[in-house]
Coordinates of all heavy atoms in Angstrom, one line a residue:
M1293 N 7.5 0.3 -9.0 CA 7.3 -1.0 -8.3 C 6.1 -0.7 -7.3 O 6.1 0.3 -6.6 CB 8.5 -1.4 -7.5 CG 8.4 -2.5 -6.6 SD 9.9 -2.8 -5.7 CE 9.7 -4.6 -5.6
E1294 N 5.2 -1.7 -7.3 CA 4.1 -1.6 -6.3 C 4.3 -2.6 -5.2 O 4.8 -3.7 -5.5 CB 2.8 -1.8 -7.1 CG 2.5 -0.7 -8.1 CD 1.1 -0.9 -8.7 OE1 0.6 -2.1 -8.8 OE2 0.6 0.1 -9.3
R1295 N 3.8 -2.2 -4.1 CA 3.9 -3.2 -2.9 C 2.6 -3.4 -2.3 O 1.7 -2.6 -2.3 CB 4.8 -2.5 -1.9 CG 6.3 -2.4 -2.3 CD 7.1 -1.7 -1.2 NE 8.5 -1.9 -1.5 CZ 9.2 -1.0 -2.3 NH1 8.6 0.0 -2.9 NH2 10.5 -1.2 -2.5
T1296 N 2.4 -4.6 -1.7 CA 1.2 -4.9 -1.0 C 1.2 -4.1 0.3 O 2.3 -3.5 0.7 CB 1.1 -6.4 -0.6 OG1 2.2 -6.7 0.2 CG2 1.2 -7.3 -1.9
L1297 N 0.1 -4.1 1.0 CA 0.1 -3.4 2.3 C 1.0 -4.0 3.3 O 1.6 -3.4 4.1 CB -1.4 -3.4 2.8 CG -2.3 -2.4 2.1 CD1 -3.7 -2.5 2.7 CD2 -1.9 -1.0 2.1
A1298 N 1.2 -5.4 3.2 CA 2.1 -6.0 4.1 C 3.5 -5.6 3.9 O 4.3 -5.4 4.8 CB 1.9 -7.6 4.0
Q1299 N 3.9 -5.5 2.6 CA 5.3 -5.1 2.3 C 5.5 -3.6 2.7 O 6.6 -3.3 3.2 CB 5.5 -5.3 0.8 CG 5.5 -6.7 0.3 CD 5.5 -6.9 -1.2 OE1 4.9 -6.1 -1.9 NE2 6.0 -8.0 -1.7
A1300 N 4.5 -2.8 2.4 CA 4.6 -1.4 2.8 C 4.7 -1.2 4.3 O 5.5 -0.4 4.8 CB 3.4 -0.6 2.3
A1301 N 3.9 -2.0 5.0 CA 4.0 -2.0 6.5 C 5.4 -2.4 7.0 O 5.9 -1.7 7.9 CB 2.9 -2.9 7.1
A1302 N 6.0 -3.4 6.4 CA 7.3 -3.8 6.8 C 8.3 -2.7 6.6 O 9.2 -2.4 7.4 CB 7.8 -5.0 6.0
L1303 N 8.2 -1.9 5.5 CA 9.1 -0.8 5.2 C 8.9 0.3 6.2 O 9.8 1.1 6.5 CB 8.9 -0.3 3.8 CG 9.4 -1.2 2.7 CD1 9.0 -0.6 1.3 CD2 10.9 -1.3 2.7
L1304 N 7.7 0.5 6.7 CA 7.4 1.5 7.7 C 7.6 1.1 9.1 O 7.3 1.8 10.0 CB 5.9 2.0 7.5 CG 5.6 2.6 6.1 CD1 4.1 2.8 5.9 CD2 6.4 3.9 6.0
G1305 N 8.0 -0.2 9.3 CA 8.3 -0.7 10.6 C 7.2 -1.0 11.5 O 7.2 -0.8 12.7
M1306 N 6.1 -1.6 10.9 CA 4.9 -2.0 11.6 C 4.3 -3.2 10.9 O 4.8 -3.7 9.9 CB 3.9 -0.9 11.7 CG 3.4 -0.4 10.4 SD 2.2 0.9 10.5 CE 3.3 2.3 10.9
T1307 N 3.2 -3.7 11.5 CA 2.5 -4.9 11.0 C 1.4 -4.4 10.0 O 1.0 -3.2 10.1 CB 1.9 -5.7 12.1 OG1 0.9 -4.9 12.7 CG2 2.9 -6.2 13.1
R1308 N 1.0 -5.3 9.2 CA -0.1 -4.9 8.2 C -1.4 -4.5 9.0 O -1.9 -3.4 8.6 CB -0.4 -6.1 7.3 CG -1.5 -5.9 6.3 CD -1.7 -7.2 5.5 NE -2.9 -7.1 4.7 CZ -4.1 -7.4 5.0 NH1 -4.3 -7.9 6.3 NH2 -5.1 -7.3 4.2
P1309 N -1.8 -5.2 10.0 CA -3.0 -4.7 10.7 C -2.9 -3.3 11.3 O -3.8 -2.5 11.3 CB -3.3 -5.8 11.8 CG -2.6 -7.0 11.3 CD -1.4 -6.5 10.5
K1310 N -1.7 -3.0 11.8 CA -1.5 -1.7 12.4 C -1.5 -0.6 11.3 O -2.1 0.4 11.5 CB -0.1 -1.7 13.1 CG 0.3 -0.4 13.7 CD -0.6 0.0 14.9 CE -0.1 1.3 15.5 NZ -1.0 1.8 16.5
L1311 N -0.9 -0.9 10.2 CA -0.9 0.0 9.0 C -2.3 0.3 8.6 O -2.7 1.4 8.4 CB 0.0 -0.5 7.9 CG -0.1 0.4 6.6 CD1 0.5 1.8 6.9 CD2 0.7 -0.3 5.5
I1312 N -3.1 -0.8 8.4 CA -4.5 -0.6 8.0 C -5.3 0.2 9.0 O -6.1 1.1 8.6 CB -5.1 -2.0 7.7 CG1 -4.5 -2.7 6.5 CG2 -6.6 -1.9 7.6 CD1 -4.9 -4.1 6.3
A1313 N -5.1 -0.1 10.3 CA -5.8 0.7 11.3 C -5.5 2.2 11.2 O -6.3 3.1 11.3 CB -5.5 0.1 12.7
L1314 N -4.2 2.5 11.1 CA -3.8 3.9 11.0 C -4.3 4.6 9.7 O -4.7 5.7 9.8 CB -2.2 4.0 11.0 CG -1.5 3.7 12.3 CD1 0.0 3.7 12.1 CD2 -1.9 4.8 13.3
M1315 N -4.3 3.8 8.6 CA -4.8 4.4 7.4 C -6.3 4.6 7.4 O -6.8 5.6 6.9 CB -4.5 3.4 6.2 CG -3.0 3.4 5.8 SD -2.6 2.3 4.5 CE -3.3 3.1 3.1
R1316 N -7.0 3.8 8.1 CA -8.5 4.0 8.3 C -8.7 5.2 9.2 O -9.7 6.0 9.0 CB -9.1 2.7 8.9 CG -9.3 1.6 7.9 CD -9.9 0.4 8.6 NE -10.0 -0.7 7.7 CZ -10.1 -2.0 8.0 NH1 -10.2 -2.3 9.3 NH2 -10.2 -2.9 7.1
E1317 N -7.9 5.4 10.3 CA -8.1 6.5 11.1 C -7.9 7.8 10.4 O -8.6 8.8 10.6 CB -7.0 6.5 12.3 CG -7.4 5.5 13.4 CD -6.2 5.5 14.4 OE1 -5.5 6.5 14.5 OE2 -6.2 4.5 15.2
K1318 N -6.9 7.8 9.4 CA -6.6 9.0 8.7 C -7.5 9.2 7.4 O -7.3 10.0 6.6 CB -5.2 9.0 8.2 CG -4.2 9.1 9.4 CD -4.2 10.4 10.0 CE -3.2 10.5 11.1 NZ -3.1 11.8 11.7
D1319 N -8.5 8.3 7.3 CA -9.5 8.3 6.2 C -8.8 8.1 4.8 O -9.2 8.6 3.8 CB -10.3 9.6 6.2 CG -11.5 9.5 5.3 OD1 -12.1 8.3 5.2 OD2 -12.0 10.5 4.7
L1320 N -7.8 7.2 4.8 CA -7.1 6.8 3.6 C -7.7 5.5 3.0 O -7.5 5.3 1.8 CB -5.6 6.7 3.8 CG -4.9 8.0 4.3 CD1 -3.4 7.7 4.6 CD2 -5.0 9.1 3.2
L1321 N -8.2 4.7 3.9 CA -8.8 3.4 3.5 C -10.3 3.4 3.9 O -10.7 3.9 4.9 CB -8.1 2.2 4.1 CG -6.7 1.9 3.6 CD1 -6.3 0.6 4.4 CD2 -6.7 1.6 2.1
K1322 N -11.1 2.8 3.0 CA -12.5 2.4 3.3 C -12.5 0.9 3.2 O -12.3 0.4 2.1 CB -13.4 3.1 2.4 CG -14.9 2.8 2.8 CD -15.8 3.6 1.8 CE -16.0 5.0 2.4 NZ -17.0 5.7 1.7
G1323 N -12.7 0.2 4.3 CA -12.5 -1.3 4.2 C -11.0 -1.5 4.1 O -10.2 -1.0 4.8
N1324 N -10.6 -2.2 3.0 CA -9.2 -2.4 2.7 C -8.8 -1.8 1.4 O -7.8 -2.1 0.8 CB -8.8 -3.9 2.7 CG -8.7 -4.4 4.2 OD1 -8.8 -3.6 5.1 ND2 -8.5 -5.7 4.3
L1325 N -9.7 -0.9 0.8 CA -9.4 -0.2 -0.4 C -9.3 1.3 -0.2 O -9.8 1.8 0.8 CB -10.6 -0.5 -1.4 CG -10.8 -2.0 -1.8 CD1 -12.0 -2.2 -2.7 CD2 -9.5 -2.6 -2.5
P1326 N -8.6 1.9 -1.1 CA -8.4 3.4 -1.0 C -9.8 4.1 -0.9 O -10.7 3.9 -1.7 CB -7.7 3.8 -2.3 CG -7.0 2.6 -2.7 CD -7.9 1.4 -2.3
A1327 N -9.9 5.0 0.1 CA -11.1 5.8 0.3 C -11.3 6.8 -0.9 O -12.5 7.0 -1.3 CB -11.1 6.5 1.6
Y1328 N -10.3 7.3 -1.4 CA -10.3 8.3 -2.5 C -9.4 7.9 -3.6 O -8.3 8.4 -3.7 CB -10.0 9.7 -2.0 CG -10.9 10.1 -0.9 CD1 -10.4 10.0 0.5 CD2 -12.1 10.6 -1.1 CE1 -11.3 10.4 1.5 CE2 -13.0 11.0 0.0 CZ -12.5 10.9 1.3 OH -13.3 11.2 2.3
P1329 N -9.8 6.9 -4.4 CA -8.9 6.3 -5.4 C -8.4 7.3 -6.5 O -7.3 7.3 -6.9 CB -9.7 5.2 -6.1 CG -11.1 5.4 -5.6 CD -11.1 6.2 -4.4
K1330 N -9.3 8.3 -6.8 CA -8.8 9.3 -7.8 C -7.9 10.3 -7.2 O -6.9 10.6 -7.9 CB -10.1 10.0 -8.4 CG -10.9 9.0 -9.3 CD -12.0 9.8 -10.0 CE -12.8 8.7 -10.8 NZ -13.5 9.3 -11.8
R1331 N -8.2 10.7 -6.0 CA -7.3 11.7 -5.4 C -5.9 11.1 -5.1 O -4.9 11.8 -5.3 CB -7.9 12.2 -4.1 CG -7.1 13.2 -3.3 CD -7.6 13.4 -1.9 NE -7.3 12.3 -1.1 CZ -7.6 12.2 0.2 NH1 -8.3 13.2 0.8 NH2 -7.2 11.2 0.9
D1332 N -5.9 9.9 -4.6 CA -4.6 9.3 -4.2 C -4.0 8.3 -5.2 O -3.1 7.5 -4.9 CB -4.8 8.5 -2.9 CG -5.3 9.4 -1.8 OD1 -5.1 10.6 -1.8 OD2 -6.0 8.9 -0.9
K1333 N -4.4 8.5 -6.5 CA -4.0 7.5 -7.5 C -2.5 7.5 -7.7 O -1.9 6.5 -8.2 CB -4.7 7.7 -8.8 CG -4.4 9.0 -9.5 CD -5.2 9.1 -10.8 CE -4.9 10.4 -11.5 NZ -5.7 10.6 -12.6
A1334 N -1.8 8.5 -7.4 CA -0.3 8.5 -7.6 C 0.4 7.7 -6.5 O 1.5 7.3 -6.6 CB 0.2 9.9 -7.6
H1335 N -0.3 7.4 -5.4 CA 0.3 6.7 -4.3 C -0.4 5.4 -3.9 O 0.4 4.5 -3.5 CB 0.2 7.6 -3.0 CG 0.6 9.0 -3.3 ND1 1.9 9.4 -3.6 CD2 -0.1 10.2 -3.4 CE1 2.0 10.7 -3.8 NE2 0.8 11.2 -3.7
L1336 N -1.7 5.3 -4.1 CA -2.4 4.0 -3.8 C -3.2 3.6 -5.1 O -3.7 4.5 -5.7 CB -3.4 4.2 -2.7 CG -2.8 4.7 -1.4 CD1 -3.9 5.0 -0.4 CD2 -1.8 3.7 -0.8
R1337 N -3.2 2.3 -5.3 CA -4.0 1.9 -6.5 C -4.7 0.6 -6.1 O -4.3 -0.1 -5.2 CB -3.2 1.8 -7.7 CG -2.7 0.5 -8.1 CD -2.1 0.4 -9.5 NE -1.6 -0.9 -9.7 CZ -2.4 -1.9 -10.3 NH1 -3.6 -1.6 -10.6 NH2 -1.9 -3.1 -10.4
V1338 N -5.8 0.3 -6.8 CA -6.5 -1.0 -6.6 C -6.1 -2.0 -7.7 O -6.1 -1.7 -8.9 CB -8.0 -0.7 -6.7 CG1 -8.8 -2.0 -6.6 CG2 -8.5 0.3 -5.6
K1339 N -5.7 -3.1 -7.2 CA -5.3 -4.2 -8.1 C -6.5 -5.2 -8.2 O -7.0 -5.7 -7.2 CB -4.1 -5.0 -7.7 CG -3.7 -6.1 -8.6 CD -2.5 -6.8 -8.2 CE -2.1 -7.9 -9.1 NZ -1.0 -8.7 -8.7
N1340 N -7.0 -5.4 -9.4 CA -8.1 -6.3 -9.6 C -7.5 -7.7 -10.1 O -6.7 -7.7 -11.0 CB -9.1 -5.8 -10.7 CG -9.7 -4.5 -10.3 OD1 -10.4 -4.5 -9.2 ND2 -9.6 -3.5 -11.0
T1341 N -8.0 -8.7 -9.5 CA -7.6 -10.1 -9.8 C -8.8 -11.0 -10.0 O -9.8 -10.8 -9.3 CB -6.7 -10.6 -8.7 OG1 -5.7 -9.7 -8.4 CG2 -6.0 -12.0 -9.1
S1342 N -8.7 -11.9 -11.0 CA -9.8 -12.8 -11.2 C -9.2 -14.2 -11.4 O -8.0 -14.3 -11.9 CB -10.7 -12.4 -12.3 OG -10.0 -12.4 -13.5
W1343 N -9.9 -15.2 -11.1 CA -9.5 -16.6 -11.3 C -10.8 -17.5 -11.5 O -11.9 -17.1 -11.0 CB -8.6 -17.1 -10.2 CG -9.3 -17.2 -8.9 CD1 -9.9 -18.3 -8.4 CD2 -9.4 -16.2 -7.9 NE1 -10.4 -18.1 -7.1 CE2 -10.1 -16.8 -6.8 CE3 -9.1 -14.9 -7.9 CZ2 -10.5 -16.0 -5.7 CZ3 -9.4 -14.2 -6.7 CH2 -10.1 -14.7 -5.7
F1344 N -10.6 -18.6 -12.1 CA -11.7 -19.5 -12.3 C -11.7 -20.6 -11.2 O -10.7 -21.3 -11.0 CB -11.7 -20.1 -13.7 CG -12.9 -21.0 -13.9 CD1 -14.1 -20.4 -14.3 CD2 -12.9 -22.4 -13.8 CE1 -15.3 -21.2 -14.5 CE2 -14.0 -23.2 -14.0 CZ -15.2 -22.6 -14.3
H1345 N -12.8 -20.8 -10.5 CA -13.0 -21.8 -9.5 C -13.9 -22.9 -10.1 O -15.0 -22.6 -10.7 CB -13.6 -21.2 -8.3 CG -13.7 -22.2 -7.1 ND1 -14.7 -23.1 -7.0 CD2 -12.9 -22.4 -6.1 CE1 -14.5 -23.8 -5.9 NE2 -13.4 -23.4 -5.3
G1346 N -13.5 -24.1 -10.0 CA -14.3 -25.2 -10.6 C -15.7 -25.3 -10.3 O -16.6 -25.6 -11.1
T1347 N -16.1 -25.0 -9.0 CA -17.4 -25.1 -8.5 C -18.2 -23.8 -8.6 O -19.4 -23.8 -9.0 CB -17.5 -25.6 -7.1 OG1 -16.7 -26.8 -7.0 CG2 -18.9 -25.9 -6.6
H1348 N -17.5 -22.7 -8.3 CA -18.2 -21.4 -8.1 C -18.0 -20.5 -9.3 O -18.5 -19.4 -9.3 CB -17.7 -20.7 -6.8 CG -17.9 -21.6 -5.6 ND1 -19.2 -21.8 -5.1 CD2 -17.1 -22.2 -4.8 CE1 -19.1 -22.6 -4.0 NE2 -17.8 -22.9 -3.8
G1349 N -17.3 -20.9 -10.3 CA -17.1 -20.1 -11.5 C -16.0 -19.0 -11.3 O -15.2 -19.1 -10.5
M1350 N -16.2 -17.9 -12.0 CA -15.2 -16.8 -11.9 C -15.3 -16.1 -10.5 O -16.4 -15.9 -10.0 CB -15.5 -15.7 -13.0 CG -15.1 -16.2 -14.4 SD -13.3 -16.6 -14.5 CE -12.5 -15.1 -14.3
Q1351 N -14.1 -15.9 -10.0 CA -14.0 -15.3 -8.7 C -13.2 -14.0 -8.9 O -12.3 -14.0 -9.7 CB -13.3 -16.2 -7.7 CG -14.0 -17.5 -7.5 CD -15.3 -17.3 -6.8 OE1 -15.4 -16.8 -5.7 NE2 -16.3 -17.8 -7.4
Y1352 N -13.6 -12.9 -8.2 CA -12.9 -11.6 -8.4 C -12.5 -11.1 -7.0 O -13.2 -11.3 -6.0 CB -13.9 -10.6 -9.0 CG -14.4 -11.1 -10.3 CD1 -15.6 -11.8 -10.4 CD2 -13.7 -10.9 -11.5 CE1 -16.1 -12.2 -11.7 CE2 -14.2 -11.3 -12.7 CZ -15.4 -12.0 -12.8 OH -15.8 -12.4 -14.0
S1353 N -11.4 -10.4 -7.0 CA -10.9 -9.8 -5.7 C -10.2 -8.5 -6.1 O -9.7 -8.3 -7.2 CB -10.0 -10.7 -5.0 OG -8.7 -10.8 -5.6
E1354 N -10.2 -7.6 -5.1 CA -9.5 -6.3 -5.2 C -8.6 -6.2 -4.0 O -9.0 -6.6 -2.9 CB -10.5 -5.2 -5.3 CG -11.4 -5.2 -6.5 CD -12.4 -4.0 -6.4 OE1 -13.0 -3.8 -5.3 OE2 -12.6 -3.4 -7.5
S1355 N -7.5 -5.6 -4.2 CA -6.5 -5.3 -3.1 C -5.8 -4.0 -3.4 O -5.7 -3.5 -4.5 CB -5.5 -6.5 -3.0 OG -4.8 -6.6 -4.2
T1356 N -5.4 -3.4 -2.3 CA -4.7 -2.1 -2.4 C -3.2 -2.3 -2.6 O -2.6 -3.2 -1.9 CB -4.9 -1.3 -1.1 OG1 -6.3 -1.1 -1.0 CG2 -4.2 0.0 -1.1
R1357 N -2.6 -1.6 -3.5 CA -1.2 -1.6 -3.7 C -0.6 -0.2 -3.4 O -1.3 0.8 -3.7 CB -0.8 -2.0 -5.2 CG -1.3 -3.4 -5.5 CD -0.4 -4.4 -4.8 NE -0.6 -5.7 -5.3 CZ -1.1 -6.7 -4.7 NH1 -1.4 -6.6 -3.4 NH2 -1.2 -7.9 -5.2
V1358 N 0.6 -0.1 -2.9 CA 1.2 1.2 -2.6 C 2.3 1.4 -3.6 O 3.2 0.5 -3.8 CB 1.8 1.2 -1.2 CG1 2.5 2.5 -0.9 CG2 0.7 0.9 -0.2
T1359 N 2.4 2.5 -4.3 CA 3.4 2.8 -5.3 C 4.7 3.1 -4.6 O 4.7 3.4 -3.4 CB 3.0 3.9 -6.3 OG1 2.9 5.1 -5.5 CG2 1.7 3.6 -7.0
Q1360 N 5.8 3.2 -5.4 CA 7.1 3.5 -4.9 C 7.0 4.9 -4.2 O 7.5 5.1 -3.1 CB 8.1 3.5 -6.0 CG 9.5 3.8 -5.5 CD 10.1 2.8 -4.6 OE1 9.7 1.6 -4.7 NE2 10.9 3.2 -3.6
S1361 N 6.4 5.9 -4.9 CA 6.3 7.2 -4.3 C 5.3 7.3 -3.1 O 5.4 8.1 -2.3 CB 5.9 8.3 -5.3 OG 4.5 8.0 -5.8
G1362 N 4.4 6.3 -3.0 CA 3.5 6.2 -2.0 C 4.0 5.9 -0.6 O 3.4 6.2 0.4
I1363 N 5.2 5.2 -0.6 CA 5.8 4.9 0.7 C 6.1 6.1 1.5 O 5.7 6.3 2.7 CB 7.1 4.0 0.5 CG1 6.7 2.7 -0.2 CG2 7.7 3.8 1.9 CD1 5.8 1.8 0.6
R1364 N 6.8 7.1 0.9 CA 7.2 8.3 1.6 C 5.9 9.1 1.9 O 5.7 9.7 3.0 CB 8.2 9.1 0.8 CG 8.7 10.3 1.5 CD 9.9 10.9 1.0 NE 11.0 9.9 0.9 CZ 11.8 9.6 2.0 NH1 11.5 10.1 3.2 NH2 12.8 8.7 1.9
W1365 N 5.0 9.2 0.9 CA 3.7 9.9 1.1 C 2.9 9.3 2.3 O 2.4 10.1 3.1 CB 2.9 9.8 -0.2 CG 1.5 10.4 -0.1 CD1 1.2 11.7 -0.2 CD2 0.3 9.7 0.1 NE1 -0.2 11.9 -0.1 CE2 -0.7 10.6 0.1 CE3 0.0 8.4 0.3 CZ2 -2.1 10.3 0.3 CZ3 -1.3 8.0 0.4 CH2 -2.3 9.0 0.4
L1366 N 2.9 8.0 2.3 CA 2.1 7.3 3.4 C 2.8 7.7 4.8 O 2.0 7.9 5.7 CB 2.1 5.8 3.1 CG 1.1 5.0 3.8 CD1 -0.3 5.5 3.6 CD2 1.2 3.6 3.3
A1367 N 4.1 7.6 4.8 CA 4.8 8.0 6.1 C 4.4 9.4 6.5 O 4.2 9.7 7.7 CB 6.3 7.8 5.9
E1368 N 4.4 10.3 5.6 CA 4.0 11.7 5.9 C 2.6 11.8 6.4 O 2.3 12.5 7.3 CB 4.2 12.6 4.7 CG 5.7 12.8 4.3 CD 5.8 13.6 3.0 OE1 4.8 14.0 2.4 OE2 7.0 13.6 2.5
Q1369 N 1.7 11.1 5.7 CA 0.2 11.2 6.0 C 0.0 10.6 7.4 O -0.9 11.1 8.2 CB -0.6 10.4 5.0 CG -0.6 10.9 3.6 CD -1.2 12.3 3.5 OE1 -2.3 12.5 4.1 NE2 -0.6 13.2 2.9
L1370 N 0.8 9.6 7.8 CA 0.6 8.9 9.1 C 1.5 9.4 10.2 O 1.4 9.0 11.3 CB 0.8 7.4 8.9 CG -0.1 6.7 7.9 CD1 0.3 5.3 7.7 CD2 -1.6 6.9 8.2
G1371 N 2.4 10.4 9.9 CA 3.3 11.0 10.8 C 4.3 10.0 11.3 O 4.7 10.0 12.5
I1372 N 4.8 9.2 10.4 CA 5.9 8.2 10.7 C 7.2 8.7 10.2 O 7.3 9.1 9.0 CB 5.5 6.8 10.0 CG1 4.2 6.3 10.6 CG2 6.6 5.8 10.3 CD1 3.6 5.1 9.8
D1373 N 8.2 8.6 11.0 CA 9.6 8.9 10.5 C 10.2 7.7 9.9 O 10.3 6.6 10.5 CB 10.5 9.3 11.7 CG 10.0 10.7 12.3 OD1 9.6 11.5 11.5 OD2 10.2 10.8 13.5
L1374 N 10.5 7.8 8.6 CA 11.1 6.7 7.9 C 12.6 6.6 8.3 O 13.2 7.6 8.6 CB 11.1 7.0 6.4 CG 9.8 6.7 5.6 CD1 9.9 7.1 4.2 CD2 9.4 5.3 5.8
P1375 N 13.1 5.4 8.4 CA 14.5 5.2 8.7 C 15.3 5.8 7.6 O 15.0 5.8 6.4 CB 14.7 3.7 8.8 CG 13.5 3.1 8.2 CD 12.4 4.1 8.2
A1376 N 16.5 6.4 8.0 CA 17.3 7.0 7.0 C 17.9 6.0 6.1 O 18.2 4.8 6.5 CB 18.5 7.8 7.7
I1377 N 18.1 6.3 4.9 CA 18.7 5.4 3.9 C 20.2 5.4 4.1 O 20.8 6.5 4.2 CB 18.4 5.8 2.5 CG1 16.9 5.8 2.2 CG2 19.1 5.0 1.4 CD1 16.4 6.5 1.0
P1378 N 20.8 4.2 4.4 CA 22.2 4.2 4.7 C 23.0 4.7 3.5 O 22.7 4.5 2.3 CB 22.5 2.7 5.0 CG 21.3 2.0 4.4 CD 20.2 2.9 4.4
A1379 N 24.1 5.4 3.8 CA 25.0 5.9 2.8 C 25.7 4.8 2.0 O 26.0 3.7 2.6 CB 26.0 6.8 3.4
D1380 N 25.9 4.9 0.8 CA 26.5 3.9 -0.1 C 28.0 4.2 0.0 O 28.5 5.2 -0.6 CB 26.0 4.0 -1.5 CG 26.6 2.9 -2.3 OD1 27.4 2.1 -1.9 OD2 26.1 2.7 -3.5
R1381 N 28.8 3.4 0.6 CA 30.2 3.6 0.8 C 31.1 3.2 -0.3 O 32.3 3.4 -0.3 CB 30.7 3.0 2.1 CG 29.9 3.6 3.3 CD 30.2 2.9 4.6 NE 29.3 3.4 5.6 CZ 29.6 3.7 6.8 NH1 30.8 3.5 7.2 NH2 28.7 4.2 7.6
R1382 N 30.5 2.6 -1.3 CA 31.3 2.2 -2.5 C 31.8 3.3 -3.3 O 32.8 3.2 -4.0 CB 30.4 1.3 -3.4 CG 30.0 0.0 -2.7 CD 29.1 -0.8 -3.6 NE 27.8 -0.2 -3.7 CZ 26.8 -0.6 -4.4 NH1 26.9 -1.7 -5.0 NH2 25.6 0.0 -4.4
D1383 N 31.2 4.5 -3.2 CA 31.7 5.6 -4.0 C 32.8 6.4 -3.3 O 33.4 7.4 -3.8 CB 30.5 6.6 -4.2 CG 29.5 6.0 -5.1 OD1 29.8 5.1 -5.9 OD2 28.3 6.4 -5.1
V1384 N 33.2 6.0 -2.1 CA 34.2 6.7 -1.4 C 35.6 6.4 -2.0 O 35.9 5.2 -2.2 CB 34.2 6.4 0.2 CG1 35.3 7.0 0.9 CG2 32.9 6.8 0.7
A1385 N 36.4 7.4 -2.3 CA 37.7 7.1 -2.9 C 38.8 6.9 -1.9 O 38.7 7.3 -0.8 CB 38.1 8.3 -3.7

């Protein structure tokens, strides 16, 4: 499962602008895209999207997505403590 930067920020307990600022400080983002897409491809990826606009023709955009394994990796890179995953009490006999 891939998440947007806004969704990843919510999981990390911050806002999207704060996450982007921290990622830029740590040289993980250049603009809003991964600074090193080949190095970090297991954790961050670029999603390409296109659509047709009636007046301006084909429009293209790119956005950063965070993979499932990228959430924990991102927390480690940024020095953020992830909240503990609550224990599942359904298995208690």
Side-chain angles (χ1 to χ4, degrees):
M1293 170 182 217
E1294 294 182 341
R1295 292 179 168 85
T1296 64
L1297 290 177
Q1299 293 167 332
L1303 288 173
L1304 296 171
M1306 64 181 71
T1307 64
R1308 178 180 172 271
K1310 178 68 175 170
L1311 175 62
I1312 290 173
L1314 288 173
M1315 289 177 74
R1316 285 179 183 160
E1317 283 178 23
K1318 297 291 184 174
D1319 198 30
L1320 298 175
L1321 286 183
K1322 183 178 274 186
N1324 283 354
L1325 297 175
Y1328 303 98
K1330 290 187 182 198
R1331 180 191 75 182
D1332 300 334
K1333 68 182 176 183
H1335 311 294
L1336 303 174
R1337 95 170 183 90
V1338 176
K1339 180 179 179 184
N1340 296 305
T1341 308
S1342 63
W1343 66 94
F1344 184 79
H1345 186 276
T1347 307
H1348 303 291
M1350 286 303 293
Q1351 302 293 302
Y1352 302 94
S1353 72
E1354 295 179 317
S1355 60
T1356 299
R1357 298 290 192 243
V1358 181
T1359 64
Q1360 183 65 33
S1361 65
I1363 299 294
R1364 187 162 301 284
W1365 174 83
L1366 201 51
E1368 290 172 6
Q1369 296 295 313
L1370 302 176
I1372 299 169
D1373 290 327
L1374 282 178
I1377 299 171
D1380 187 355
R1381 297 175 191 222
R1382 292 178 290 183
D1383 294 335
V1384 176

